[in-house]
Amino acid sequence: MTGRQQLAIGALVAGIVAAVAYGGTHYLRKELFPVELGSKAPDFTAYTLDSVPKPKRLADYRGQVVMLNVWATWCLPCRVEMPSIEALNKDYAPKGLRIVAVSIDDPGTDSAIRAFARQYGLTFQILHDPTGKITDMYDISGYPETFIVGRDGVIRKKLMQATDWNTPDARALVDRLLAERTE
């Protein structure tokens, strides 16, 4: 066997190994890298509701405590939860909490999302992910789903239902995370 043939076989084997590794991590991502307490929060891209939407990423909030809420205008539990999220925002935004609510409503529904935000008097960051990619990235099984992300980018709490953010337990969690400092 010539050197050129050996090189070709080596390249073929390397290509097969790379394809299997990529396929394995792509198709088994949820099993290999689950989104759970203690894991790094996946970076996502969603868009502002400005007349010219601007992309925002989780990385834009690096070093801050972030409450990431994934919701939709058609979701009744989301409607129930929003007033308590707004109350949390009013009390904790001045202390450093960043609330980011990502709507997974269909493309072309920005005006309905803006109307929803006006109806509920929402003053925190509302973004839109018309592709719904965040649902897959965060292994979301229903709406709303909320992730509390520490300054270190690690998921500290995951809630898979509407929550009353005015309870002492919810507020204590936010107080504790805001008090933490990263190195």
Side-chain angles (χ1 to χ4, degrees):
M1 188 178 310
T2 68
R4 185 171 281 201
Q5 289 172 324
Q6 288 176 338
L7 186 60
I9 290 172
L12 178 64
V13 169
I16 291 170
V17 168
V20 168
Y22 171 78
T25 57
H26 179 74
Y27 292 107
L28 298 174
R29 181 188 59 81
K30 290 180 183 181
E31 287 76 19
L32 295 172
F33 311 107
V35 176
E36 59 190 9
L37 292 182
S39 66
K40 276 283 196 195
D43 198 13
F44 64 85
T45 300
Y47 298 88
T48 64
L49 298 173
D50 300 325
S51 56
V52 177
K54 297 175 191 72
K56 294 287 278 184
R57 299 175 47 215
L58 181 62
D60 295 335
Y61 305 95
R62 183 172 295 137
Q64 301 177 57
V65 176
V66 175
M67 173 191 208
L68 173 62
N69 180 264
V70 182
W71 66 285
T73 58
W74 45 260
C75 163
L76 184 57
C78 300
R79 291 175 177 271
V80 170
E81 180 181 52
M82 284 298 174
S84 73
I85 294 175
E86 179 59 29
L88 188 73
N89 184 61
K90 281 189 172 28
D91 293 343
Y92 284 91
K95 298 176 184 178
L97 177 67
R98 296 295 163 248
I99 297 177
V100 180
V102 179
S103 166
I104 51 84
D105 283 281
D106 291 334
T109 57
D110 286 7
S111 62
I113 299 166
R114 283 193 293 273
F116 181 98
R118 276 192 307 277
Q119 177 185 354
Y120 287 90
L122 305 179
T123 59
F124 48 85
Q125 179 81 71
I126 305 283
L127 301 175
H128 186 201
D129 176 9
T131 65
K133 285 183 183 175
I134 195 167
T135 298
D136 185 49
M137 292 176 74
Y138 278 79
D139 300 334
I140 292 174
S141 58
Y143 304 103
E145 206 159 299
T146 303
F147 301 83
I148 307 295
V149 181
R151 295 180 195 282
D152 56 2
V154 172
I155 296 172
R156 303 301 187 83
K157 186 85 172 168
K158 177 179 178 178
L159 296 140
M160 299 170 62
Q161 74 256 349
T163 301
D164 180 0
W165 292 98
N166 292 312
T167 66
D169 286 345
R171 301 257 170 159
L173 171 66
V174 173
D175 284 329
R176 183 174 50 79
L177 290 174
L178 287 171
E180 286 182 3
R181 297 290 169 216
T182 57
E183 298 301 315

